[in-house]
Amino acid sequence: MTSLNQHRPARRELQFITSGRATSDGDGVKMTRLIATPELNMLDPFLLLDAFGSEQAEDYIGGFPAHPHRGFETVSYLLAGRMRHKDSAGHEGVIEAGGVQWMSAGRGIVHSEMPEQENGLLQGFQLWVNLPAREKMQKPAYQEFSVEDIAVEHLDNGASIRVIAGTTNGGTRGPVNNQYVDPLYLDVALPDGQRFAQLTRKAHSAFIFVIEGELSLGDTKQTLGTCQLGILSEGDEILARASGDSRFLLVAARPLHEAVVRGGPFVMNTEAEVLQAYEDFQKNSFLEA
Ligand code: MN
């Protein structure tokens, strides 16, 4: 008789921990960059992750005036406050607390992202998700969901899961649709001492960012503290236990395994494509996009 262990899912373990780097971007917005740093260049298909959060208006009031993007998707998720976005094609709206904007820049947009508030807490994340080579020059597209559109699953142990993308073990599905990298994007609140489990595709990249509290992960029970990002090893299942009431993002997606060439706000597959992006932007500011 064979061992039952062969059917046991492979647990993901903490492989790498980073606290990121304090930086500023846009017009002086203070933030912590967690992906796209000297310590962590990228986690395929994730190109960048910024966390921002301040009650001081001077830390965010400058916002992100008009700037271009080409070749990837930006995912803005707000925990608190309001941000107004406006692009070169006339698309405009406000992201409010609990809302998400999954924007595919495709062949090019120019947009601004500005705080829609003059005081109080502004807190959230921006994640850059790469597009496969064949989709980098597609038409720009938006998926926008407000707090009411995002399903929340409540578990018996007091945990609650806000599902932005992907499907939980309990079958709750998030509204974002992305066939390129099949993402999972969860915002999990886990009470002190409670456990959380999530099945994942084995070879998908996965990370956790702890917003508050502390987690111990996998069978090794390595700990991940507040404001730390942890990359998880490959495996079928993520297991987390909270020390103190905790809240964290769990994000996973299929890696693209393609060449990545960055040129500031443009991320392409070759140097020539990045140079072309600068040229197109200077010539027409993507207005023909
Ligand atoms: Mn932007």
Side-chain angles (χ1 to χ4, degrees), residues 41-47 71-72 129-137 179-181 205 254-262 267-271 273:
N41 177 45
M42 64 176 285
L43 175 67
D44 188 12
F46 306 117
L47 300 166
F72 59 96
V129 183
N130 207 3
L131 281 166
R134 67 177 190 280
E135 304 292 345
K136 282 183 179 289
M137 295 300 280
Q179 59 195 331
Y180 315 126
V181 297
S205 302
R254 181 192 307 126
L256 294 170
H257 301 299
E258 292 181 356
V260 171
V261 181
R262 294 177 190 259
V267 183
M268 305 301 289
N269 300 102
T270 67
E271 294 284 353
E273 288 167 351

Side-chain angles (χ1 to χ4, degrees), residues 116-274:
E116 185 81 350
Q117 64 191 60
E118 288 174 357
N119 50 58
L121 179 64
L122 181 70
Q123 185 183 18
F125 299 91
Q126 187 166 96
L127 177 69
W128 290 10
V129 183
N130 207 3
L131 281 166
R134 67 177 190 280
E135 304 292 345
K136 282 183 179 289
M137 295 300 280
Q138 72 181 356
K139 209 172 159 226
Y142 291 86
Q143 296 184 66
E144 288 170 295
F145 301 101
S146 64
V147 65
E148 304 85 38
D149 301 323
I150 293 172
V152 186
E153 183 176 316
H154 296 278
L155 304 182
D156 289 344
N157 66 2
S160 62
I161 313 170
R162 307 181 55 73
V163 189
I164 292 154
T167 305
T168 66
N169 284 8
T172 306
R173 279 179 66 100
V176 169
N177 178 35
N178 177 311
Q179 59 195 331
Y180 315 126
V181 297
D182 190 17
L184 175 74
Y185 193 133
L186 307 178
D187 172 1
V188 182
L190 193 59
D192 181 27
Q194 297 303 316
R195 287 167 190 276
F196 166 83
Q198 173 68 40
L199 294 170
T200 57
R201 304 229 183 230
K202 199 179 198 88
H204 282 200
S205 302
F207 69 83
I208 284 177
F209 177 77
V210 179
I211 299 166
E212 58 186 66
E214 183 181 286
L215 300 175
S216 67
L217 292 156
D219 291 326
T220 56
K221 300 183 170 56
Q222 283 193 75
T223 61
L224 189 63
T226 309
C227 294
Q228 289 186 323
L229 179 143
I231 297 178
L232 299 161
S233 61
E234 285 190 1
D236 313 292
E237 187 182 48
I238 290 164
L239 194 63
R241 185 176 177 278
S243 298
D245 290 344
S246 299
R247 184 176 184 184
F248 60 94
L249 298 184
L250 165 56
V251 181
R254 181 192 307 126
L256 294 170
H257 301 299
E258 292 181 356
V260 171
V261 181
R262 294 177 190 259
F266 312 126
V267 183
M268 305 301 289
N269 300 102
T270 67
E271 294 284 353
E273 288 167 351
V274 169

Side-chain angles (χ1 to χ4, degrees), residues 58-103:
E58 65 265 29
D59 291 344
Y60 60 72
I61 204 74
F64 304 86
H67 59 278
H69 295 293
R70 172 182 278 182
F72 59 96
E73 306 191 304
T74 65
V75 181
S76 303
Y77 178 48
L78 273 194
L79 302 185
R82 307 171 85 217
M83 291 281 280
R84 176 175 294 272
H85 67 91
K86 192 173 182 177
D87 79 9
S88 47
H91 188 98
E92 184 171 1
V94 175
I95 310 170
E96 307 215 19
V100 67
Q101 180 198 63
W102 198 295
M103 181 194 77

